[in-house]
Amino acid sequence: MKQYEGSHNFHNFTLGKTFKDPSAQRYMKGTSVSEPFIIEGTEWVSIKIHGQSFMLHQIRKMICMASLVVRTGCPITRISDCFGPAKINIPKAPALGLLLECPVYETYNERLAEMGYNNIEFSGYEAEMNAFKMKNIYDKIYAEEIKENVYHGFFEFLDTFKGSGATKEGKHIFDFLGAVFNNQMENKEPKKEPKALKAQDNVD
């Protein structure tokens, strides 16, 4: 997740943006991943992303890209490739569990301090907030996963692409994620005749 920190072009992590669109540039201030914990027999981790702003589907695609690296043997350099001009088709992770943890008013608080006002902060209500989230948000997320197997199905799909070779179904992780690889290979080929790349060529 640290690969996402800093200022990057996230055009591949949303819809309707091109590499040259200045609005695709976003700044991620920090990321964190908790230690795994078990709820009702299912292992979970809490992933927090602190950014100045986000685009449509950006976080879901960031989580999916990180999951591809962890679970399929996809090279970690794929994340930095996604910030480049090549178009990479990144699936979306499920929306279940995605929530705004806490709004941050750092810049606004600096202006308030200059005018003699108190900062806007929520640390004094942390116990009440955590109790509310556990009762009204987290418990419902866990119950929904147990009922619908949302993430079970998502990770089962990703796991069909494990390893560096094609699966028994003949599919490969780069069949839907390999646009950048294909573009790089095409740029290295002589510009005589177009040559189609086979799926087995798309192996790092």
Side-chain angles (χ1 to χ4, degrees), residues 159-173:
D159 288 347
T160 62
F161 299 101
K162 274 186 176 179
S164 60
T167 65
K168 61 182 179 181
E169 291 83 7
K171 297 180 181 179
H172 190 280
I173 182 64

Side-chain angles (χ1 to χ4, degrees), residues 1 23 103 128 180 184:
M1 295 300 295
S23 67
E128 293 87 346
V180 63
Q184 290 171 348

Side-chain angles (χ1 to χ4, degrees), residues 166-186:
T167 65
K168 61 182 179 181
E169 291 83 7
K171 297 180 181 179
H172 190 280
I173 182 64
F174 298 119
D175 285 343
F176 65 86
L177 196 65
V180 63
F181 183 84
N182 290 339
N183 289 341
Q184 290 171 348
M185 292 300 294
E186 288 171 2

Side-chain angles (χ1 to χ4, degrees), residues 93-201:
L96 180 66
L98 176 62
L99 69 145
L100 176 64
E101 175 74 10
C102 181
V104 180
Y105 299 99
E106 289 180 352
T107 303
Y108 191 67
N109 281 338
E110 291 175 1
R111 296 175 60 187
L112 288 177
E114 292 173 357
M115 294 185 288
Y117 292 100
N118 294 328
N119 289 347
I120 298 175
E121 57 181 37
F122 306 96
S123 57
Y125 307 95
E126 188 171 355
E128 293 87 346
M129 290 166 59
N130 287 337
F132 176 87
K133 287 187 289 188
M134 184 59 68
K135 179 181 179 181
N136 297 285
I137 300 177
Y138 296 151
D139 283 351
K140 288 180 171 56
I141 292 172
Y142 304 143
E144 181 72 12
E145 174 60 24
I146 292 172
K147 179 181 178 182
E148 301 293 341
N149 291 315
V150 176
Y151 276 98
H152 177 81
F154 170 68
F155 287 123
E156 188 176 62
F157 167 71
L158 293 189
D159 288 347
T160 62
F161 299 101
K162 274 186 176 179
S164 60
T167 65
K168 61 182 179 181
E169 291 83 7
K171 297 180 181 179
H172 190 280
I173 182 64
F174 298 119
D175 285 343
F176 65 86
L177 196 65
V180 63
F181 183 84
N182 290 339
N183 289 341
Q184 290 171 348
M185 292 300 294
E186 288 171 2
N187 290 335
K188 293 177 182 179
E189 290 286 339
K191 298 296 182 179
K192 294 180 180 179
E193 295 181 2
K195 180 181 179 182
L197 292 177
K198 298 180 181 179
Q200 58 265 32
D201 293 330

Side-chain angles (χ1 to χ4, degrees), residues 15-51:
L15 301 177
K17 300 285 186 184
T18 65
F19 178 73
K20 294 183 179 180
D21 190 335
S23 67
Q25 196 77 17
R26 300 292 160 128
Y27 179 62
M28 300 297 111
K29 303 187 71 173
T31 60
S32 64
V33 181
S34 73
E35 291 295 324
F37 54 94
I38 305 296
I39 301 291
E40 297 291 337
T42 300
E43 185 176 78
W44 296 80
V45 292
S46 173
I47 301 174
K48 296 183 180 180
I49 303 173
H50 182 186

Side-chain angles (χ1 to χ4, degrees), residues 63-112:
I63 296 299
C64 184
M65 190 68 235
S67 299
L68 286 167
V69 170
V70 172
R71 297 183 73 97
T72 71
C74 178
I76 195 171
T77 53
R78 276 289 179 263
I79 294 179
S80 57
D81 288 339
C82 292
F83 302 138
K87 179 63 179 175
I88 301 179
N89 301 311
I90 306 172
K92 299 188 297 289
L96 180 66
L98 176 62
L99 69 145
L100 176 64
E101 175 74 10
C102 181
V104 180
Y105 299 99
E106 289 180 352
T107 303
Y108 191 67
N109 281 338
E110 291 175 1
R111 296 175 60 187
L112 288 177

